[in-house]
Amino acid sequence: MVWLGVLGIFLATVIYFEWHLRSLGWSPSVVDSRDLWVEQRKRASKLGGKALILVGASRMQLDIDMATLRDNTNLEPIQLAIDGTSYIPVLEELAEDPTITGTIFVSVNAYNMRKGIPKDTSVQWVKYYKAIQSKGIEPYRWINNKVVAFFNNMLVTRLEGAKPYTIISKLGFQQPTMGNYLITHPNRSRDADYNKVTMPNFYAARLQRHYGSNLVNGSVTFEKFFAIYEKAIADTKPASKETFTKNLEYLLFLVKKIEAKGGKVVLIRFPTGKLVWKVDNKRYPKEMFWKDVEQQHPMSVHFSELSGASSFNTPDGSHLDYRDKGKFTNSLINIVKEKNMLYDIKSVLPIDQVDARL
């Protein structure tokens, strides 16, 4: 009876703080772990031609609405993008696997085509996936991963995989807050709610990181801060094409390997805006750099081509707010269909029959 009483108190405490933390603005969010990535990578192989594989970094995770993609393509989207790392190791592994025969969307721009290096998360996760493939995964670990992912997705007190005590002690006694602006879902897609961040501070920090150096000494107003960066951006010269050309050649080599298996690869330039876009377009002018991408791989889409492109809201200059991702995804799929860039799915099973086998 004592243990039942203790259990009852524990459950009541968790239930109370679940309610309380949500009232403070916090929402459940899973950990974007290598095990979660491996689970999606396995699905990509099992689905074959029915898979619509998403490769890239944070923009691919934040800007694509998975349900909209599924509903409008009759394909099953698989999120393999990895935040803050090179996507090339993922594309290399996909190019080598004979089971990858469907459509792949790759988030590219002129400065993110570099090859992977040992410390990259993508290199480590691909290596882990290959080890799992060769040795298998212990049943207890598979069950544990499923249980942990379920509770992380359901409970705020398991936010980002932390222990309930940690979350309650750190967040449960705060005054009302804006909560977590970023939510990771079990399918590895992400939602960013920029109403939950302090602006223009957040945008200024993003711009500074994107530009790559601190141009401001001491304390200045935001008006002055942005004026300093705008002047520096205006004086920026285009980057050399040598490295870009070499990286593009290797990227297209991987694309051709995938196409040789019957797959399709769509290269997509995702939206950026404000001064972040000005940085991009000064260092890598669209007419100089994206022109090469389009000429060498016609199955390419630049966000400026999309219907309603001027209305896409990038509050930090680099990513879409979750309220705009459905509109962006719809517009992207419309132009992809117009250009016949999707895998021919006439001879493969419907999604519901394929999922039944997984």
Side-chain angles (χ1 to χ4, degrees):
M1 293 298 293
V2 174
W3 285 108
L4 287 176
V6 171
L7 179 61
I9 293 172
F10 171 77
L11 291 175
T13 301
V14 170
I15 291 171
Y16 167 75
F17 278 103
E18 279 293 318
W19 168 81
H20 181 61
L21 288 167
R22 290 168 195 259
S23 72
L24 294 177
W26 298 93
S27 301
S29 179
V30 305
V31 180
D32 190 14
S33 66
R34 63 181 186 176
D35 287 307
L36 204 60
W37 186 87
V38 164
E39 181 180 338
Q40 295 302 312
R41 174 60 188 86
K42 287 181 177 180
R43 293 186 68 235
S45 287
K46 290 179 180 178
L47 284 162
K50 293 295 288 186
L52 176 48
I53 303 170
L54 310 178
V55 176
S58 58
R59 288 174 193 155
M60 183 65 85
Q61 282 189 284
L62 284 168
D63 294 0
I64 290 290
D65 185 272
M66 302 286 273
T68 300
L69 203 59
R70 179 184 297 107
D71 294 342
N72 291 354
T73 65
N74 198 33
L75 298 173
E76 183 65 15
I78 304 293
Q79 184 58 266
L80 293 185
I82 304 174
D83 187 14
T85 189
S86 169
Y87 61 85
I88 293 296
V90 175
L91 203 61
E92 287 173 334
E93 194 278 323
L94 294 174
E96 293 293 335
D97 189 339
T99 66
I100 301 300
T101 56
T103 303
I104 302 177
F105 283 3
V106 185
S107 172
V108 303
N109 51 56
Y111 53 82
N112 78 339
M113 296 180 186
R114 70 167 178 85
K115 293 184 180 180
I117 55 178
K119 70 177 182 179
D120 281 339
T121 303
S122 54
V123 172
Q124 297 167 14
W125 286 11
V126 166
K127 183 178 179 180
Y128 179 67
Y129 168 71
K130 289 180 177 179
I132 292 293
Q133 286 297 94
S134 62
K135 298 179 181 178
I137 185 170
E138 301 90 339
Y140 80 88
R141 184 167 186 169
W142 181 86
I143 294 171
N144 179 72
N145 290 342
K146 290 289 186 181
V147 172
V148 168
F150 172 79
F151 281 108
N152 287 353
N153 186 51
M154 296 296 293
L155 302 177
V156 183
T157 47
R158 285 286 299 171
L159 184 67
E160 297 291 344
K163 295 179 179 179
Y165 171 79
T166 303
I167 297 298
I168 291 171
S169 63
K170 290 185 177 296
L171 306 179
F173 301 97
Q174 292 181 344
Q175 296 298 314
T177 67
M178 290 187 287
N180 50 326
Y181 90 99
L182 190 63
I183 295 174
T184 304
H185 301 289
N187 64 9
R188 300 194 60 257
S189 67
R190 285 178 162 171
D191 289 338
D193 184 351
Y194 287 98
N195 287 342
K196 290 187 174 185
V197 301
T198 303
M199 290 291 188
N201 311 56
F202 196 91
Y203 164 46
R206 170 67 65 182
L207 171 62
Q208 191 174 78
R209 291 197 302 274
H210 194 75
Y211 185 81
S213 61
N214 181 9
L215 303 180
V216 179
N217 295 318
S219 178
V220 298
T221 63
F222 282 113
E223 182 179 9
K224 179 67 173 177
F225 176 93
F226 291 120
I228 291 171
Y229 275 92
E230 186 145 26
K231 182 179 184 308
I233 293 166
D235 294 336
T236 299
K237 304 298 181 185
S240 168
K241 290 191 70 173
E242 183 179 354
T243 300
F244 164 79
T245 300
K246 184 177 179 180
N247 289 342
L248 179 59
E249 286 176 354
Y250 185 65
L251 171 62
L252 294 177
F253 165 74
L254 297 176
V255 169
K256 287 179 172 62
K257 290 184 71 173
I258 293 167
E259 291 175 335
K261 298 183 292 179
K264 286 191 174 184
V265 180
V266 183
L267 305 181
I268 304 167
R269 177 43 161 103
F270 275 69
T272 51
K274 303 180 180 179
L275 292 180
V276 172
W277 166 243
K278 288 188 177 181
V279 172
D280 292 345
N281 207 36
K282 288 292 288 188
R283 288 177 176 166
Y284 304 94
K286 179 176 180 285
E287 64 274 12
M288 286 177 58
F289 291 84
W290 188 256
K291 182 180 178 181
D292 286 359
V293 176
E294 289 180 313
Q295 287 180 343
Q296 297 186 55
H297 188 68
M299 290 179 59
S300 301
V301 178
H302 193 281
F303 74 89
S304 60
E305 301 176 61
L306 304 184
S307 173
S310 61
S311 67
F312 297 146
N313 182 24
T314 54
D316 69 343
S318 192
H319 304 91
L320 294 177
D321 185 90
Y322 83 96
R323 298 169 184 85
D324 271 353
K325 62 193 296 185
K327 178 174 65 175
F328 167 74
T329 304
N330 262 319
S331 186
L332 174 63
I333 290 304
N334 287 340
I335 198 167
V336 164
K337 286 181 175 179
E338 287 174 12
K339 296 185 177 183
N340 194 31
M341 295 180 179
L342 289 178
Y343 185 83
D344 184 358
I345 59 172
K346 293 179 181 178
S347 61
V348 293
L349 291 172
I351 286 290
D352 56 350
Q353 293 184 36
V354 175
D355 280 349
R357 302 181 305 177
L358 300 184

